[in-house]
Amino acid sequence: MDPELRPKEAPFQIQALKKRVEMGGKLLSETIVRLRDIQTNLEKTKEEYERKKFEATADKMFNGIVVCASDWTVTNANPSALKYLETSDTKSFNLPDYLFDKFTVSITKEMLIDLSLPYKTFNLIREETEQFNALFLEVGMDVLKDHLGVVSDIIITFEDATERRKEERVKQDFLSLLSHKLMTPLTSIIGRSELLLKGIYGPMNDEQKKVVMVIDNQAEKQKSLVDKLLKFTSIIYDHPSAPKEAINLAETLPAIANSAVKSSGNGKKIEIEVICKNRELNLRINKNQFETIFSNLIENSIKFGDKDPVKISLSAEETTSGVNLIVADNGPGIPPEEQERIFSGLYQVEKYFTGQIEGAGLGLALVKKIVESNSGTIAVKSSISRGTELRINLPGS
């Protein structure tokens, strides 16, 4: 080929090259679009598969499951849930409105629809009528959020606890009757002992006074135990309807701590620290229930404390989910395998349930029930010989 002709061919070669590049770019764009479509279809297929797998699993479950969107409209429900809710149609269905229309709910509507807590429990009760038997449902609510913290789904589970509730009612009635029967003679013993010590029935020598003081002291301890049993039976099975009030934690916690130390010190050297940096921090709860929670926890730390001195820390701090209340001590600790059982009624760690340490293991069971009845949570953190920390979270005021 004549070299002089080659420069004339160059523009044609450049144009051809441009066309090939353009065609390649178009092909690449089309390939990218197709890959994106394939990815989208795969994601939809995966979502559909997961949805069908969830539905297949949920349909076979005895417990009821309802899925709600963030506005509380029902998006899915398994057959068990529909049975408990006595409906077959959940279109345009607002779950809180429906629950408060059909059932007696153990928490307020404001507490139910508050999505700031990731998990809460409550009860639904349908009272017995001439047409229907009573129904008692234990309900758990989980709030699911995406990576941005936006609520994506609300999962509600229903468990039929009617039969268990009937059995518990029989136990409650028995314990209540037993407690009242025990309280009557104890009150009489304490009253007569006090009269004897005051000399109402005549003078006594020192030895006689010591004997009567022992009787009076032991009767008071038994009375305290029976009183705790009565509280236990009144709270353990029933949602407390006691009125709530705003409690200032910086003022209330030190008063509870001092009272608990005075009533259960038993001559031990005790160092107790109360930490509440926010002097304006309030909690809306029934005052008697609040005092019961922390007097029991402090008394437990004192009772089981094996160090000299017994050190107890009581702290309160505000969080995004409410208020954290922590009771920590330097006691013997709780073995890992025992930590779940300590909240069961009438249970104490075996080593200490020998008669040397007073009590019947009611304190922590009572505390747990009060906390949960106020839509709170309680958790234990402990290791042997390194003390115990009980952490309570309660919704803010």
Side-chain angles (χ1 to χ4, degrees):
M1 182 178 292
D2 190 344
E4 293 181 359
L5 296 176
R6 288 177 184 171
K8 296 178 182 179
E9 296 174 357
F12 297 103
Q13 292 174 347
I14 292 171
Q15 289 297 327
L17 182 60
K18 281 183 179 180
K19 286 183 179 180
R20 282 198 292 268
V21 170
E22 288 173 358
M23 289 178 64
K26 185 178 180 182
L27 181 62
L28 181 60
S29 291
E30 291 175 351
T31 302
I32 290 172
V33 170
R34 289 184 64 188
L35 286 173
R36 285 176 178 169
D37 289 341
I38 291 170
Q39 184 181 12
T40 301
N41 290 332
L42 284 172
E43 288 175 355
K44 287 181 179 178
T45 303
K46 183 180 179 181
E47 287 176 3
E48 181 68 13
Y49 170 75
E50 293 294 338
R51 184 183 64 80
K52 288 183 178 179
K53 186 169 71 170
F54 167 78
E55 290 177 351
T57 304
D59 286 352
K60 295 177 183 178
M61 291 183 67
F62 181 74
N63 288 349
I65 300 178
V66 172
V67 182
C68 294
S70 58
D71 62 355
W72 287 101
T73 55
V74 175
T75 59
N76 210 335
N78 72 344
S80 292
L82 296 176
K83 180 185 72 174
Y84 293 143
L85 296 175
E86 301 173 33
T87 184
S88 58
D89 183 14
T90 58
K91 293 178 181 178
S92 303
F93 192 93
N94 182 278
L95 188 62
D97 290 345
Y98 188 86
L99 295 182
F100 277 86
D101 181 54
K102 294 287 186 179
F103 298 91
T104 299
V105 187
S106 65
I107 60 175
T108 64
K109 194 171 185 178
E110 290 73 20
M111 291 174 67
L112 173 59
I113 63 177
D114 178 11
L115 301 181
S116 61
L117 290 176
Y119 180 76
K120 68 182 71 170
T121 59
F122 56 95
N123 300 323
L124 298 177
I125 303 169
R126 187 190 66 203
E127 302 293 347
E128 185 174 359
T129 65
E130 292 182 1
Q131 292 82 18
F132 302 103
N133 292 324
L135 177 66
F136 188 93
L137 298 173
E138 293 181 349
V139 186
M141 187 184 102
D142 284 282
V143 179
L144 306 183
K145 298 181 180 181
D146 60 22
H147 65 286
L148 297 175
V150 178
V151 175
S152 56
D153 293 290
I154 305 165
I155 311 295
I156 313 289
T157 59
F158 303 85
E159 181 181 357
D160 186 352
T162 306
E163 290 304 315
R164 186 167 73 247
R165 182 74 172 180
K166 289 179 181 177
E167 293 175 2
E168 289 174 347
R169 176 62 66 181
V170 173
K171 293 177 185 177
Q172 178 193 12
D173 291 342
F174 172 74
L175 287 173
S176 182
L177 177 63
L178 180 63
S179 300
H180 283 291
K181 292 294 184 183
L182 288 171
M183 187 64 79
T184 302
L186 283 172
T187 303
S188 179
I189 292 169
I190 292 168
R192 297 297 190 279
S193 299
E194 290 176 349
L195 292 175
L196 283 169
L197 291 170
K198 289 177 180 179
I200 301 297
Y201 299 114
M204 292 188 297
N205 59 39
D206 291 342
E207 194 63 32
Q208 290 171 330
K209 285 182 180 180
K210 286 180 181 178
V211 172
V212 175
M213 287 177 69
V214 169
I215 293 171
D216 184 65
N217 185 44
Q218 292 301 314
E220 284 286 359
K221 288 179 179 178
Q222 290 302 309
K223 183 176 179 292
S224 175
L225 182 59
V226 173
D227 184 57
K228 189 173 288 186
L229 187 60
L230 282 168
K231 286 183 180 179
F232 180 80
T233 56
S234 67
I235 292 176
I236 198 80
Y237 303 122
D238 292 311
H239 176 71
S241 56
K244 297 182 179 182
E245 58 185 289
I247 294 174
N248 181 272
L249 299 180
E251 295 176 0
T252 306
L253 290 175
I256 295 174
N258 291 333
S259 177
V261 169
K262 286 179 182 178
S263 65
S264 56
N266 295 327
K268 290 184 177 180
K269 185 178 179 182
I270 301 163
E271 294 179 4
I272 189 162
E273 179 184 25
V274 179
I275 305 168
C276 185
K277 294 180 180 179
N278 183 357
R279 306 297 298 179
E280 304 301 320
L281 182 57
N282 291 334
L283 185 66
R284 189 166 184 79
I285 190 172
N286 178 264
K287 190 173 182 180
N288 288 333
Q289 291 177 10
F290 186 79
E291 290 175 354
T292 298
I293 291 172
F294 289 96
S295 60
N296 271 286
L297 295 182
I298 294 168
E299 287 170 11
N300 255 25
S301 293
I302 295 171
K303 180 166 55 177
F304 293 101
D306 60 348
K307 307 284 192 315
D308 186 19
V310 174
K311 293 184 178 181
I312 303 169
S313 170
L314 181 57
S315 60
E317 60 182 9
E318 192 170 17
T319 69
T320 54
S321 60
V323 177
N324 273 347
L325 296 142
I326 304 167
V327 179
D329 62 47
N330 65 338
I334 303 169
E337 69 275 11
E338 306 284 359
Q339 291 178 15
E340 285 301 317
R341 297 175 63 194
I342 64 172
F343 295 109
S344 302
L346 306 175
Y347 174 79
Q348 283 182 334
V349 178
E350 288 294 327
K351 182 178 179 182
Y352 300 103
F353 200 22
T354 61
Q356 299 302 312
I357 292 181
E358 299 162 1
L362 292 174
L364 289 178
L366 182 60
V367 166
K368 187 172 188 287
K369 279 296 177 182
I370 294 175
V371 169
E372 289 182 344
S373 71
N374 285 278
S375 298
T377 59
I378 183 168
V380 60
K381 180 180 178 182
S382 183
S383 54
I384 297 173
S385 300
R386 294 189 178 182
T388 299
E389 177 183 291
L390 284 158
R391 181 179 292 264
I392 294 170
N393 181 271
L394 291 168
S397 56

